[in-house]
Amino acid sequence: MNPSQHADSLGRLEDLPADYIAQMHALSIAPLWPQLRGLLPRGKPVRATQPFVWQYKDVRPQLMRAGELTPIEKAERRVLVLCNPGHGVDKLIATPTIYVGLQLILPGEVAPNHRHTPSAVRFVVEGSGGFTTVDGEKCPMHKGDLILTPAGLWHEHGHEGTGPVVWLDALDLPMVYAMEASYAIEGPSQIARPGLDASQTRYQRAGLVPYESLSLNARAAYPQIRYPWPDVRAALISLEKATAPGAAVQLAYVNPETGQPCLPTLGFSAQLLRQGEDFSPRRRSASSVVHVIEGHGQSEIDGVSLHWSEGDTLAVPTHAQVTHRAQNGQAFLFHVDDAPMQRALGFYQEF
Ligand code: GTQ
């Protein structure tokens, strides 16, 4: 912790005798009161995270260049990390809790099998022929698909098609790393089970689950691994017709057996932004990352105006005031937020 000090009526470090400060520091102790307002600012947290947009037209050429410069064997994961400028390029964070990278895999390449303590998802940005095998389940990767690689599950990526495949990685890595609990184990390539992509096939329609899953001891922690985009898109278009003007046309990706967010730490949702409508959700304590699936538009985040189009990714700080607006037609957004971990910690708020 390195909280900034604030002018206040509380005692300052300089108010104390130098020998007393030296004695305390030699014993690895420190007084709280000079730092109290930094640790617990009044009313609202202090945020270093900036509202920001990474434009795909800027990042993509850099990613393709990585494809030329760095063979997959030298990278394991060929990823360019989206670093929030409020935190610099060393911290590798988009928001305090969310790591986001763009990963490139070229035809015939393999990103070898491993598993780790952070949980991850992939959201496919472009290309076809890519696949991820998760705990023996081989999932095809089509544009807009969401694929989970939860904590502890083996995962490896490959590419059986032509042309580059790019996806967005979102991980709860910053939190797990801060807990000094982040590590990975490498393993031999998985043997994919027959029954390609079975988990999404079993949960084709909301409200219907395989009968045998009702017996509690059969319940898997992660029953669905892939959420295909065409289904989500069609569901959003249906939902729009049943949603009042100004209300969110937004669907959360959940565990179909429990209805709870599909990962314990991060939440994922897809939103249809109606043409010509200013969408202003309630201010909330969660930070988030927004990826543009389709369309273009503009967002105001804490007074910062950001223009976006397909493939772009935005950072939204905690407690931010947000307005999104699609331009020249509707737009589709993918949201990653840290609301599940804030709820688990007991302080998630909407204002
Ligand atoms: O594809 O397994 O962006 O382990 C960072 C860490 C991707 C991955 C990342 C990872 C991966």
Side-chain angles (χ1 to χ4, degrees), residues 91-165:
K91 295 252 181 69
L92 303 179
I93 61 177
T95 82
T97 52
I98 307 173
Y99 160 105
V100 176
L102 283 167
Q103 180 161 174
L104 169 67
I105 189 160
L106 295 169
E109 289 184 341
V110 169
N113 194 31
H114 74 179
R115 60 197 188 110
H116 40 67
T117 47
S119 289
V121 300
R122 330 281 154 200
F123 192 86
V124 184
V125 177
E126 70 164 282
S128 59
F131 67 89
T132 291
T133 304
V134 185
D135 234 22
E137 184 163 310
K138 186 173 176 181
C139 298
M141 303 178 92
H142 301 298
K143 184 173 154 59
D145 289 356
L146 178 72
I147 294 167
L148 311 184
T149 55
L153 268 55
W154 291 108
H155 56 281
E156 62 194 283
H157 318 298
H159 188 348
E160 295 166 330
T162 55
V165 165

Side-chain angles (χ1 to χ4, degrees), residues 101-279:
L102 283 167
Q103 180 161 174
L104 169 67
I105 189 160
L106 295 169
E109 289 184 341
V110 169
N113 194 31
H114 74 179
R115 60 197 188 110
H116 40 67
T117 47
S119 289
V121 300
R122 330 281 154 200
F123 192 86
V124 184
V125 177
E126 70 164 282
S128 59
F131 67 89
T132 291
T133 304
V134 185
D135 234 22
E137 184 163 310
K138 186 173 176 181
C139 298
M141 303 178 92
H142 301 298
K143 184 173 154 59
D145 289 356
L146 178 72
I147 294 167
L148 311 184
T149 55
L153 268 55
W154 291 108
H155 56 281
E156 62 194 283
H157 318 298
H159 188 348
E160 295 166 330
T162 55
V165 165
V166 177
W167 63 78
L168 191 84
D169 290 315
L171 281 78
D172 59 11
L173 186 51
M175 175 81 156
V176 180
Y177 186 79
M179 295 167 92
E180 296 190 346
S182 179
Y183 74 100
I185 297 172
E186 282 112 56
S189 185
Q190 298 167 69
I191 296 162
R193 281 190 298 271
L196 175 74
D197 198 20
S199 81
Q200 74 90 18
T201 311
R202 281 196 288 269
Y203 299 97
Q204 282 282 353
R205 201 173 204 302
L208 295 172
V209 298
Y211 181 71
E212 71 275 11
S213 71
L214 297 179
S215 66
L216 270 178
N217 55 9
R219 203 164 273 181
Y222 304 103
Q224 184 167 358
I225 294 297
R226 186 169 80 99
Y227 296 74
W229 172 242
D231 296 348
V232 180
R233 193 180 190 282
L236 284 168
I237 287 167
S238 300
L239 181 63
E240 184 196 355
K241 299 183 179 81
T243 305
V249 184
Q250 191 166 5
L251 290 165
Y253 295 84
V254 298
N255 175 329
E257 297 280 355
T258 65
Q260 294 301 304
C262 56
L263 289 181
T265 45
L266 298 178
F268 310 97
S269 59
Q271 180 177 20
L272 186 162
L273 275 184
R274 291 159 155 153
Q275 140 142 39
E277 195 174 271
D278 271 0
F279 177 75

